[in-house]
Amino acid sequence: YRHEPHGTTLLTPDGVATDLAAGKRRFLLDVRQPEELSSRGYIRGAANIPVGDVAKRIDELPKNLDQPIVTICESGVRSAHAALYLRAYGYNDVKNLEYGIRGWRTEGFPVTYPGQ
């Protein structure tokens, strides 16, 4: 994972939005704390497992190690760590949302909030 070119480990906000609009099946994993989702929003359909809990909650992730996964946090740092862990665990198609949910919001893509 660390030897792959930078661009192959990231997906831009536009790339994620395009994939979602096209119906491409990607498991969205938001690794922020629940209160961050409440205050800053999240991408509809994303599962929330805080980065520190990913190893303990691996059974909540897709069983198919070829399932495409996109990791998400506020800026892209915590989700990069989660992506690295998932690759080491054996997932074959893990990408990190470039610039995180902050980049997603900056690009004008919609977020949702718990209870909506």
Side-chain angles (χ1 to χ4, degrees):
Y1 184 72
R2 62 177 234 235
H3 297 291
E4 292 184 41
H6 185 69
T8 65
T9 61
L10 297 172
L11 272 179
T12 64
D14 187 56
V16 172
T18 299
D19 284 353
L20 293 174
K24 184 166 183 176
R25 250 184 85 229
R26 290 198 178 275
F27 185 86
L28 304 177
L29 176 61
D30 195 316
V31 298
R32 295 176 294 155
Q33 294 297 317
E35 56 272 12
E36 292 178 89
L37 277 65
S38 296
S39 65
R40 297 186 181 121
Y42 61 94
I43 300 172
R44 184 174 301 282
N48 177 231
I49 302 175
V51 68
D53 294 340
V54 170
K56 294 182 285 194
R57 295 174 57 185
I58 199 77
D59 61 321
E60 296 176 41
L61 296 174
K63 305 299 181 237
N64 178 358
L65 296 179
D66 292 321
Q67 168 71 46
I69 297 174
V70 177
T71 57
I72 304 161
C73 71
E74 184 62 28
S75 66
V77 176
R78 288 175 286 177
S79 53
H81 289 285
L84 182 62
Y85 173 78
L86 293 175
R87 283 295 210 98
Y89 186 82
Y91 285 96
N92 298 307
D93 187 0
V94 181
K95 307 270 195 243
N96 187 21
L97 176 60
E98 189 172 35
Y99 308 117
I101 196 77
R102 182 180 303 147
W104 178 267
R105 287 189 311 262
T106 299
E107 294 291 323
F109 296 114
V111 294
T112 192
Y113 294 86
Q116 282 188 329

